[in-house]
């Protein structure tokens, strides 16, 4: 189904709401990315490192959406196309790194250390990201912006990935199933690639 544009008189109001949601998601993603990367490095968790990089990539997406809905770009079709492509390309850059790191860990049988901090981070992501995701998808429809709607879909995928990574981390922490962590990272890589393709085509999930 196509994305319906909001009436012209609503552009400024919708743009303000999009910027507010995007700034909120940008702040959280910044915190999430720093913590996940630090814990991932400390514990040797590929999934958490990928999660941190994913947060950084999504931060770029939120920043692009803020740029897209600032000033004269609010009604610019060219700005919309650029924002859509940047969000998509960012995911194309992320997927190969995560997949390579996860496969390396699986092939070398290198176990990560159990991380309850990672468990807590993923659990918070499961709660917050659907809030941002649904808001951006709704506002993207109102603004006729595939870039915004796609960014919202990415947040919803991030919530699903949080659940996947949470499962992997819990299994590693409680049962010692080290392979669950890089397996979760591979799921993240595949989902990131699929999201990039859908965003490039201007589709939601």
């Amino acid at each position: 189904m196509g994305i319906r544009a909001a009436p012209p008189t609503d552009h400024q109001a919708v743009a303000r709401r999009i910027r507010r949601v995007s700034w909120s998601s940008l702040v959280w993603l910044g915190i999430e990315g720093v913590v996940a990367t630090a814990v991932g490095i400390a514990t040797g968790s590929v999934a958490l490192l990928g999660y941190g990089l994913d947060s950084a990539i999504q931060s770029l997406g939120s920043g692009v959406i803020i740029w897209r809905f600032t000033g004269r770009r609010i009604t610019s079709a060219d700005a919309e196309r650029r924002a859509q492509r940047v969000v998509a390309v960012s995911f194309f850059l992320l997927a190969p790194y995560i997949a390579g790191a996860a496969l390396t860990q699986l092939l070398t049988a290198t176990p990560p250390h159990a991380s309850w901090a990672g468990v807590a981070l993923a659990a918070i992501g499961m709660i917050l990201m659907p809030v941002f995701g649904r808001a951006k998808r709704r506002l993207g429809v109102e603004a006729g912006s595939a870039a915004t709607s796609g960014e919202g879909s990415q947040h919803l995928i991030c919530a699903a990935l949080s659940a996947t990574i949470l499962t992997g981390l819990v299994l590693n922490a409680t049962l010692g199933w080290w392979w669950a962590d890089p397996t979760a990272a591979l799921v993240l890589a595949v989902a990131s690639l699929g999201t990039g393709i859908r965003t490039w085509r201007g589709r939601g999930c």
Side-chain angles (χ1 to χ4, degrees):
M1 181 181 294
I3 295 178
R4 295 178 300 171
T9 54
D10 292 340
H11 281 319
Q12 294 294 334
V14 172
R16 284 194 296 272
R17 294 201 296 273
I18 289 175
R19 289 197 301 270
R20 282 198 296 268
V21 173
S22 295
W23 273 115
S24 297
S25 64
L26 183 61
V27 170
W28 164 249
L29 288 166
I31 296 171
E32 181 183 69
V34 170
V35 174
T37 301
V39 175
I41 292 173
T43 62
S45 170
V46 176
L48 276 176
L49 281 173
Y51 196 64
L53 287 172
D54 179 64
S55 298
I57 293 299
Q58 290 198 74
S59 295
L60 173 62
S62 292
V64 168
I65 297 302
I66 293 169
W67 170 86
R68 159 71 178 89
F69 284 95
T70 300
R72 296 180 180 179
R73 291 182 294 274
I74 291 175
T75 56
S76 170
D78 183 60
E80 169 64 23
R81 285 191 296 272
R82 290 183 181 181
Q84 183 179 314
R85 297 291 173 84
V86 170
V87 171
V89 168
S90 65
F91 274 82
F92 295 151
L93 297 176
L94 175 66
Y97 170 79
I98 300 175
L103 287 172
T104 298
Q105 187 171 356
L106 283 171
L107 293 174
T108 58
T110 304
H113 299 292
S115 170
W116 289 109
V119 170
L121 188 67
I124 295 172
M126 285 174 58
I127 297 171
L128 285 182
M129 297 317 293
V131 176
F132 295 137
R134 286 192 294 267
K136 287 188 179 181
R137 281 171 65 96
R138 183 181 67 252
L139 290 168
V141 171
E142 291 184 35
S145 171
T148 304
S149 185
E151 175 72 0
S153 296
Q154 290 167 9
H155 291 333
L156 293 178
I157 284 182
C158 182
L161 293 173
S162 295
T164 301
I165 291 173
L166 181 61
T167 301
L169 291 172
V170 169
L171 289 174
N172 178 62
T174 58
L175 301 177
W177 292 359
W178 63 268
W179 46 265
D181 185 85
T183 300
L186 283 175
V187 174
L188 190 154
V190 173
S192 295
L193 181 60
T195 302
I197 292 172
R198 286 188 290 270
T199 302
W200 182 276
R201 295 174 177 174
R203 300 177 183 174
C205 293

